[in-house]
Amino acid sequence: MQNSPREILLQTPMGRLQVIAVGLCIGLNALDGFDVLSISFASPGIAAEWGIDRAALGVILSAELIGMALGSALLGGIADKIGRRPTILICLVLMTIGMFLAATAGAMTSLLAYRFGTGLGIGGMLASINAMTAEYSNAKRRNLAVTLMAGGYPAGAIVGGTIASFLLVGFDWRAVFVFGGFVTLAFIPLVWFLMPESIEFLQHKRPPGALERINHTLRRMGHKTVESLPERTEEPAKPSIARLFSPALIRTTTVLTLAYFAVIGAMVVAMIFVVIFGYAQADLATLSVVSAFAGFFTNAAIVGLYAIFAQSFPTELRASGTGFVIGVGRGGAALAPIIAGVLFVIGASAPTVATIMGCGALFAAIALFFLPRKEQILTN
């Protein structure tokens, strides 16, 4: 009995095209990391030129995060309907336009609108590339590939910040957005020519010519082709919010046990360091060290969650599910400074605010601990 295209990808070593597709996803996530923080790199120059309080720029950052939340939820669902590759291209166009327009902004309102649009593209990108990475990796390398992809985000922020610091020596703040726009634009032809549509998506959706496109991609990867696609025995699930929480989906959520508890442990440790952060205000050296550890364990948990998403959601819901979770996370990031500000206004101390903020990671760890799981990973 012949193997299905999905089984071929899962059971055989990764070919050149698969490695390229995963590498592009890592690069796209690094691009997202730079694009998100570009406003932070440019904010000193903007504040000086426009004569505004730098704290006011936090409103723009919140608008960008809200855009990311909406983009993750909405465009993640679109990726499950029309495909990962076309959605990624749409997101790249949105991000390119938003970055170039941000360089032309002359007022807070226009910059806010441009960054909101950029956030839409970034959010949709995050959901799409997580699904794409999972679907182009074999079973042996899937967790590693998804982890490397997630690690591209902070790497892009670090490398992008270094480049931005050099740009700001000889140019004004607009150079940061112009640079980001050109780099984003450069990814469009790369994705167009080098990143094929996901075979799992094509096999599930069965668009016209799916078999021919799947076999063409399999040949480019160096794998054997198939004569036919296996018949589907169940109705495709609709990517709705209700479906994401259905008992059937939760029962089939499976992860590696060690990785599962490593994420929970990272969340708990992150919560501890966030609380300690609130008690270290008087000592800058201690504050820096505590902040570094809090960031390390927070990002470690996020990277682990990306791997869990890849293993937990079936093909028809992978981008929708990932997008919904990312959207909730970005929404929390937008609300966090507002909640902290309200707490400070009503007289809460820094340790109290830090403790309340840290409880979010603790609640997430508890929820993850009680999530039903199986011993064996589903390879969807």
Side-chain angles (χ1 to χ4, degrees):
M1 180 176 182
Q2 73 167 14
N3 291 330
S4 69
R6 183 173 63 183
E7 291 172 336
I8 292 174
L9 290 187
L10 289 173
Q11 297 171 7
T12 57
M14 291 178 62
R16 176 178 57 86
L17 189 60
Q18 289 168 272
V19 174
I20 290 174
V22 172
L24 278 174
C25 289
I26 295 172
L28 289 169
N29 207 21
L31 178 65
D32 283 350
F34 172 78
D35 284 359
V36 168
L37 293 182
S38 58
I39 187 65
S40 299
F41 305 143
S43 61
I46 296 174
E49 181 177 317
W50 293 354
I52 60 176
D53 191 329
R54 287 184 60 184
L57 293 174
V59 177
I60 297 177
L61 179 58
S62 294
E64 181 178 345
L65 292 171
I66 292 172
M68 290 176 65
L70 292 175
S72 297
L74 299 177
L75 293 178
I78 290 176
D80 282 332
K81 292 180 179 179
I82 69 173
R84 289 60 163 116
R85 179 172 171 267
T87 305
I88 289 173
L89 289 170
I90 292 171
C91 292
L92 284 172
V93 171
L94 285 174
M95 292 164 61
T96 300
I97 294 173
M99 292 296 281
F100 281 131
L101 286 178
T104 69
M108 284 280 293
T109 52
S110 58
L111 184 58
L112 187 148
Y114 300 150
R115 294 306 294 170
F116 175 81
T118 305
L120 286 174
I122 294 172
M125 179 77 72
L126 290 171
S128 300
I129 60 178
N130 185 74
M132 181 68 85
T133 302
E135 291 161 11
Y136 264 99
S137 305
N138 60 16
K140 183 178 180 181
R141 303 297 182 189
R142 175 177 282 183
N143 282 338
L144 174 62
V146 173
T147 299
L148 290 175
M149 182 279 298
Y153 192 90
I158 294 171
V159 174
T162 303
I163 295 174
S165 65
F166 284 107
L167 289 174
L168 292 173
V169 172
F171 304 95
D172 65 11
W173 57 270
R174 295 172 181 82
V176 175
F177 295 117
V178 172
F179 170 77
F182 277 114
V183 175
T184 307
L185 182 62
F187 269 95
I188 294 178
L190 293 176
V191 171
W192 183 271
F193 292 108
L194 297 179
M195 182 181 282
E197 184 52 85
S198 162
I199 285 180
E200 287 191 33
F201 173 81
L202 290 175
Q203 179 176 282
H204 175 74
K205 292 296 181 180
R206 304 292 184 91
L211 178 60
E212 290 77 10
R213 291 162 65 183
I214 286 175
N215 278 334
H216 174 70
T217 302
L218 286 172
R219 283 192 293 268
R220 289 177 62 191
M221 292 179 182
H223 298 301
K224 62 181 180 180
T225 59
V226 295
E227 296 179 1
S228 62
L229 297 179
E231 292 297 326
R232 289 175 296 185
T233 57
E234 58 182 1
E235 182 182 359
K238 296 181 179 180
S240 63
I241 292 178
R243 173 74 173 96
L244 298 180
F245 293 99
S246 68
L249 180 60
I250 293 177
R251 285 196 299 271
T252 58
T253 300
T254 56
V255 290
L256 282 172
T257 302
L258 290 178
Y260 193 90
F261 286 104
V263 173
I264 294 175
M267 288 178 176
V268 173
V269 176
M271 180 264 186
I272 293 172
F273 276 106
V274 169
V275 173
I276 295 174
F277 181 87
Y279 289 88
Q281 300 295 317
D283 186 345
L284 182 59
T286 303
L287 188 66
S288 300
V289 172
V290 172
S291 178
F293 276 104
F296 174 86
F297 285 102
T298 299
N299 280 284
I302 292 172
V303 169
L305 285 174
Y306 272 106
I308 292 174
F309 300 157
Q311 300 288 0
S312 300
F313 293 108
T315 302
E316 68 272 20
L317 287 174
R318 187 166 286 132
S320 299
T322 302
F324 178 79
V325 177
I326 292 175
V328 173
R330 299 305 171 185
L335 287 175
I338 298 174
I339 295 173
V342 171
L343 290 172
F344 281 124
V345 167
I346 63 177
S349 64
T352 300
V353 173
T355 301
I356 294 174
M357 292 292 128
C359 283
L362 180 61
F363 294 152
I366 294 172
L368 195 58
F369 178 82
F370 286 105
L371 183 69
R373 57 192 181 278
K374 294 181 180 179
E375 293 297 324
Q376 183 181 1
I377 297 177
L378 289 180
T379 50
N380 290 319

